[in-house]
Amino acid sequence: MGRISRRALLLGAGGAAGWYGARRFGSHLPVLDGAGLTVPASGDGILNDASGLSPTPIHRHITLSQDPGEALITAIRAEIREASAEGRPVNIGAARHSMGGQAIPREGHAITFDNGMVEADTANGTYRAHAGARWSQIIGVLDPIGFSPKVMQSNHDFGVAATFSVNAHGWPVPWGPMGSTVRNFRMVLPSGDLVTCSRTENADLFTMAMGGYGLLGAIIDMEVEMVPNQRLLPTAQVMPAQDFPAAFDAAIRSGEVPMAYGRLNVARAEFFEEAILVSFRPDADQSDLPAAESSGLMSHLASYIYRWQLGNEPMKHLRWWTETVVGPALGNGPYTRNSLMNEPVETLGDRNPTRTDILHEYFVAPDRFDDFLTACREVIPGSYQEFLNVTLRHVAQDDESWLSYAPVNRIAAVMSFSQEMTPRAEADMARMTRDLIDRMIEIGASYYLPYRPHATVDQLVATYPRAPEFAAAKRELDPDLIFRNNLWDSYLGAL
């Protein structure tokens, strides 16, 4: 049996106790009688995303699996020409895990990349990958030769160019978003021209496309930095939530911690009052690293205990005990860096057709973290939503991306809600989101763009002050607005 990842262990270690608790303490979710379930449209001509709430009509959906050479470039140019002639948009996606149609072109040509080409260059510490290569495929190539992605999303299902296009971050430290690790990429522009973009060649296109949501063109392939894989040992510290920023900063500044994350207690009675910091340090023994594996059985146990929290405050207390007491006692490792990141998003997936998981993410400067805690305590518990989890990560300052969410070093708070698939829940989520974003703006924090489109245009501009400049540059590059998605249609196109 392969070694169990710490993340699955922390969530799944209380599986047996959770089973008892789920039987002992029932759920107290609101009844659905008369609520009117939302049933998204589906079938040919409809594309949705991870929210299940973004059914969008499209002209057609094609999958391109060619290597990043002339055949792929020719196919993309053909789609651009046909779409342009008919006045339809184009957009490219991989897993389409965004939650508000950010990778879907309404009434347009939706392209999915499906090619796992990865070529490592150990001399330069980089790898070249097809834009659609999934992180699981990248780990699969780098792991046997002793390397690891420098920064990737926390799950391995997503495409490398998609990660760059939303400029996602991960939990390796002390780096910033994934875009900071990209050396260069090739992209087909709306004109059909093929260009190479880097920090020295077409630099404006490079920094616009970093977090540009695929609105500038079709990325073909990328050269990205990698680092040596390592065997790591975890250490867990439990503390009052307000003490987390100082402890997190100390771990990062030590130079001894290549990976770290935190969590907060989400039980309503102690909401955001207590934190845990899990930091990983290199083991003295770095020989014969085992192959990267996912957590298998423990992933299913993790999913059960995670789901048993729904409407069940005793289970939330049990999960926190699992993470702060059982996990540290059992999960002493070691784990390899690649195994820690080699987790599918389905680990915590919801299979209940009446509910959907919705993510929020906020980025707050460490010196305003206490204000962040206060804002969340005053806004979230009064909502209609079931709050399941918040993970805390480090994001280093990003001065490159035009739509940067981290103009200074920030703590990322990745929040997971379980939302009822009803109009009443969607309306409440929209209200709560806008209230929370207002509070974030007051304390100089930012919100992330790949999730439900509940923010106002004014809130987007207040959070991303270069958004109007981005929209103007996009129109100059793409006067026919060929590359579009819901982020453009609902927000940037109004600027």
Side-chain angles (χ1 to χ4, degrees):
M1 178 181 292
R3 179 168 292 280
I4 298 165
S5 82
R6 179 180 178 83
R7 178 166 23 170
L9 183 59
L10 280 174
L11 291 173
W19 181 271
Y20 170 78
R23 298 299 181 92
R24 176 75 168 78
F25 305 105
S27 171
H28 298 284
L29 291 171
V31 296
L32 294 173
D33 295 351
L37 280 174
T38 300
V39 182
S42 60
D44 293 341
I46 298 291
L47 203 58
N48 212 324
D49 57 25
S51 71
L53 296 171
S54 304
T56 305
I58 56 170
H59 174 68
R60 72 163 167 248
H61 177 206
I62 65 169
T63 298
L64 298 180
S65 57
Q66 300 94 327
D67 284 342
E70 194 57 39
L72 179 61
I73 294 166
T74 297
I76 291 171
R77 284 171 171 161
E79 291 298 315
I80 291 174
R81 281 196 302 271
E82 181 179 336
S84 178
E86 300 294 331
R88 292 190 291 261
V90 172
N91 205 269
I92 298 178
R96 287 191 174 83
H97 198 261
S98 298
M99 295 187 170
Q102 293 90 341
I104 307 176
R106 180 172 291 274
E107 304 289 357
H109 295 230
I111 301 172
T112 294
F113 279 164
D114 183 15
N115 183 298
M117 189 215 79
V118 182
E119 299 172 342
D121 182 351
T122 56
N124 288 313
T126 63
Y127 58 91
R128 177 174 169 262
H130 189 291
R134 305 303 204 265
W135 289 107
S136 58
Q137 295 168 323
I138 292 171
I139 289 174
V141 171
L142 301 189
D143 190 68
I145 61 172
F147 284 88
S148 179
K150 190 172 185 180
V151 174
M152 60 170 273
Q153 283 169 274
S154 60
N155 295 100
H156 72 197
D157 314 70
F158 313 125
V160 61
T163 298
F164 177 76
S165 294
V166 301
N167 208 17
H169 61 89
W171 48 301
V173 298
W175 297 299
M178 180 266 177
S180 66
T181 73
V182 174
R183 296 276 183 90
N184 59 69
F185 59 85
R186 293 190 301 158
M187 179 168 66
V188 178
L189 298 178
S191 63
D193 294 332
L194 177 67
V195 296
T196 298
C197 301
S198 69
R199 290 173 177 82
T200 57
E201 184 177 4
N202 294 309
D204 276 350
L205 282 177
F206 182 86
T207 51
M208 283 182 68
M210 183 190 301
Y213 290 80
L215 290 169
L216 306 179
I219 295 175
I220 302 299
D221 56 8
M222 316 187 76
E223 183 184 5
V224 189
E225 295 171 354
M226 61 188 185
V227 296
N229 191 22
Q230 291 179 301
R231 181 182 282 112
L232 302 171
L233 294 169
T235 302
Q237 301 168 256
V238 181
M239 65 198 73
Q242 64 268 21
D243 294 343
F244 180 83
F248 202 17
D249 184 66
I252 294 165
R253 288 181 179 275
S254 72
E256 301 172 351
V257 175
M259 300 186 76
Y261 70 91
R263 288 213 174 96
L264 297 170
N265 190 339
V266 301
R268 288 179 180 265
E270 301 86 19
F271 192 74
F272 280 28
E273 296 289 348
E274 195 173 33
I276 182 172
L277 168 62
V278 182
S279 51
F280 294 82
R281 291 170 174 80
D283 190 358
D285 179 11
Q286 293 295 327
S287 62
D288 300 322
L289 300 186
E293 294 183 350
S294 294
S295 51
L297 174 61
M298 289 304 292
S299 294
H300 296 289
L301 292 176
S303 178
Y304 285 129
I305 194 170
Y306 193 77
R307 289 296 146 200
W308 286 333
Q309 295 179 103
L310 282 172
N312 196 325
E313 289 302 304
M315 283 302 301
K316 290 180 181 178
H317 288 283
L318 178 63
R319 182 184 170 217
W320 187 245
W321 173 77
T322 298
E323 293 214 333
T324 58
V325 178
V326 178
L330 297 180
N332 58 353
Y335 311 95
T336 68
R337 191 179 192 277
N338 282 335
S339 288
L340 288 167
M341 297 190 294
N342 199 32
E343 285 289 328
V345 73
E346 69 178 4
T347 297
L348 302 177
D350 190 0
R351 297 169 181 82
N352 184 342
T354 69
R355 307 192 70 86
T356 182
D357 285 353
I358 298 298
L359 299 180
H360 287 208
E361 191 162 351
Y362 302 97
F363 304 91
V364 58
D367 62 356
R368 301 305 299 269
F369 192 72
D370 205 31
D371 295 324
F372 165 79
L373 295 173
T374 298
C376 291
R377 290 174 190 140
E378 292 177 356
V379 172
I380 295 174
S383 76
Y384 183 60
Q385 310 304 322
E386 272 295 304
F387 194 92
L388 296 180
N389 183 65
V390 56
T391 299
L392 306 173
R393 301 178 185 138
H394 168 79
V395 182
Q397 182 173 333
D398 169 23
D399 293 324
E400 295 187 303
S401 172
W402 286 36
L403 299 178
S404 172
Y405 51 74
V408 299
N409 288 352
R410 287 187 165 170
I411 296 172
V414 187
M415 300 179 180
S416 179
F417 296 85
S418 175
Q419 178 180 322
E420 192 181 83
M421 294 281 280
T422 63
R424 68 184 181 186
E426 178 71 356
D428 178 71
M429 178 65 83
R431 175 203 57 77
M432 183 197 73
T433 302
R434 289 191 286 268
D435 288 350
L436 202 50
I437 291 174
D438 278 341
R439 297 292 295 271
M440 295 300 113
I441 292 171
E442 288 175 7
I443 64 173
S446 56
Y447 74 97
Y448 201 17
L449 296 175
Y451 301 129
R452 296 294 296 147
H454 293 321
T456 66
V457 173
D458 288 344
Q459 285 176 326
L460 182 141
V461 174
T463 305
Y464 295 90
R466 293 193 70 182
E469 183 184 1
F470 178 95
K474 150 74 176 174
R475 288 189 176 93
E476 184 175 348
L477 177 72
D478 184 9
D480 295 327
L481 300 180
I482 295 170
F483 283 85
R484 298 202 306 274
N485 55 25
N486 191 49
L487 181 65
W488 179 267
D489 294 343
S490 297
Y491 292 99
L492 295 171
L495 301 180

